[in-house]
Amino acid sequence: RKKRAEAEQTAAQTEAQLEALRSAGQKVAATLQFDERTTRRRLIDQMLVETGWDVGVGGTNTEQVKQEVRVSEHPTPSGEGYADYVLYGDDGKPLAVVEAKKTAKDPKLGAEQARIYAMCLEKETGRRPVIFFTNGIDVFLWDDAQGYPWRKVYGLYSKDSLEYLIHQRTNKKALAHVEPNLAIAERLYQLEAVKRIAERFEGKSRKALVVQATGTGKTRVAVSLCDLLMRAGWVKRILFLCDRRELRRQADRVFKEFMPGEPRVVVGSSTSSDRDKRIYLATYPAMMKCFEAFDVGFFDLIVADESHRSIYKTFRSLFQYFDALEVGLTATPVKFIERNTYKLFGCEEKDPTAHYS
């Protein structure tokens, strides 16, 4: 209990720090009112550097990041336009376009402009880049090639994360055409839960909540879902969160038994430099200590075990930071779950994605 209290205190402090940073950012927008050029140099360039991009000094171009990129077939009288930033992969093709606005402007005002640049780059290179628009404080991602509406994210993606997002476009399979592995979960209610989550994700929702009584195999359902999404090409890296080390060890055993070929790691103090695994298992307190060492797009799926107890208040920062598909697991009866738990996982009150009492 003492260790948990300490962990919750640390998490609460981290959440307070994040809130302070958000408030500070809003104050910057309100008081300094950087123009677009200053916003790019002081805020957006720094964002890119922190995410591992090679940014040229003073706006100069590099192989990875080019600024003021001329595009043709633009719907202007001259037929030309200039994208603020284009981020490139190792193959020389664009991975993302970033539209910048000054801090005092709503970044969503740049959404349509960024979409047009993406369309022009697609005509020129054969690849439609992922779209970002930002005022240096708020960042939005628009993966329109996969049919998602734009969404607010905590920061820009790394090159590796963008490459996988592009890879998904042609390699994802329809989840209805991929059968669950019956060796992992075979009971009808378990298969029903996996099916319901898959249907929700196919419908472009990015969150799901499973309520399943203790002893009925929540971990089996989660591992079966992870296996299905990996085989379907929907996810590459998974974060499995637990609120106790015993639950983490249990999940580790199930992953080891049924997904032995997928490299996995238990998150600890040195995990921030471990980037070649597929499955990351962590307690909430352990992940709170190192989550900012990963870029916001590093994980494709987050599974939150005992989600009703841990993530609404104390550890919510993890879900605000990472831009991933999210699945909450809980054994708590529907009527005892907090309203905000449903909201956090995109469900109506007392109507989870899957329920087995």
Side-chain angles (χ1 to χ4, degrees), residues 12 22 31 63 65 67 72 149 154 158 163 171 177 267 318-319 338:
R22 285 191 289 270
T31 58
E63 289 187 1
V65 180
Q67 301 189 38
S72 57
Y154 203 83
S158 69
E163 285 173 341
N171 290 275
H177 298 160
V267 172
L318 297 174
F319 295 84
E338 288 188 53

Side-chain angles (χ1 to χ4, degrees), residues 243-261:
D243 69 342
R244 299 195 308 275
R245 281 177 289 182
E246 177 51 42
L247 291 175
R248 185 195 64 195
R249 285 191 287 266
Q250 175 185 320
D252 191 25
R253 288 193 296 268
V254 179
F255 275 110
K256 181 179 180 180
E257 180 178 357
F258 295 109
M259 298 179 68

Side-chain angles (χ1 to χ4, degrees), residues 1-9 244-245:
R1 286 197 298 270
K2 182 179 178 181
K3 287 183 177 179
R4 181 170 179 81
E6 291 174 350
E8 290 184 348
Q9 183 179 8
R244 299 195 308 275
R245 281 177 289 182

Side-chain angles (χ1 to χ4, degrees), residues 328-341:
L329 305 174
T330 181
T332 299
V334 166
K335 62 182 178 181
F336 293 121
I337 298 175
E338 288 188 53
R339 178 182 303 174
N340 289 290
T341 302

Side-chain angles (χ1 to χ4, degrees), residues 142-311:
W142 192 1
D143 187 14
D144 62 343
Q146 294 198 61
Y148 285 105
W150 69 54
R151 59 186 182 268
K152 190 174 182 179
V153 294
Y154 203 83
L156 299 172
Y157 272 39
S158 69
K159 181 159 71 75
D160 178 61
S161 297
L162 278 175
E163 285 173 341
Y164 186 65
L165 207 58
I166 298 288
H167 171 82
Q168 284 182 320
R169 294 175 180 174
T170 54
N171 290 275
K172 282 172 69 171
K173 300 175 184 177
L175 296 179
H177 298 160
V178 183
E179 294 295 328
N181 183 349
L182 297 182
I184 304 175
E186 62 177 354
R187 297 175 183 176
L188 290 179
Y189 65 84
Q190 294 172 335
L191 296 172
E192 183 71 11
V194 174
K195 179 181 178 181
R196 292 293 171 229
I197 299 168
E199 288 174 349
R200 191 169 177 85
F201 287 166
E202 285 274 22
K204 302 306 176 185
S205 175
R206 296 178 59 81
K207 302 181 180 187
L209 177 64
V210 176
V211 181
Q212 199 170 304
T214 301
T216 57
K218 292 194 305 299
T219 305
R220 288 286 192 101
V221 168
V223 174
S224 178
L225 177 68
C226 292
D227 171 74
L228 178 77
L229 293 175
M230 277 193 166
R231 286 189 288 113
W234 280 60
V235 304
K236 180 173 72 170
R237 289 183 290 238
I238 296 166
L239 174 62
F240 192 98
L241 290 167
C242 310
D243 69 342
R244 299 195 308 275
R245 281 177 289 182
E246 177 51 42
L247 291 175
R248 185 195 64 195
R249 285 191 287 266
Q250 175 185 320
D252 191 25
R253 288 193 296 268
V254 179
F255 275 110
K256 181 179 180 180
E257 180 178 357
F258 295 109
M259 298 179 68
E262 299 297 342
R264 66 189 186 284
V265 64
V266 173
V267 172
S269 57
S270 62
T271 313
S272 58
S273 60
D274 196 339
R275 302 304 174 93
D276 61 348
K277 300 298 187 291
R278 292 290 181 263
I279 299 167
Y280 292 71
L281 300 114
T283 60
Y284 293 97
M287 197 65 204
M288 288 296 295
K289 294 178 181 178
C290 65
F291 72 95
E292 289 180 289
F294 302 91
D295 75 274
V296 299
F298 186 81
F299 294 108
D300 309 296
L301 172 68
I302 298 177
V303 180
D305 198 9
E306 298 301 339
S307 55
H308 70 285
R309 282 208 299 260
S310 302
I311 66 172

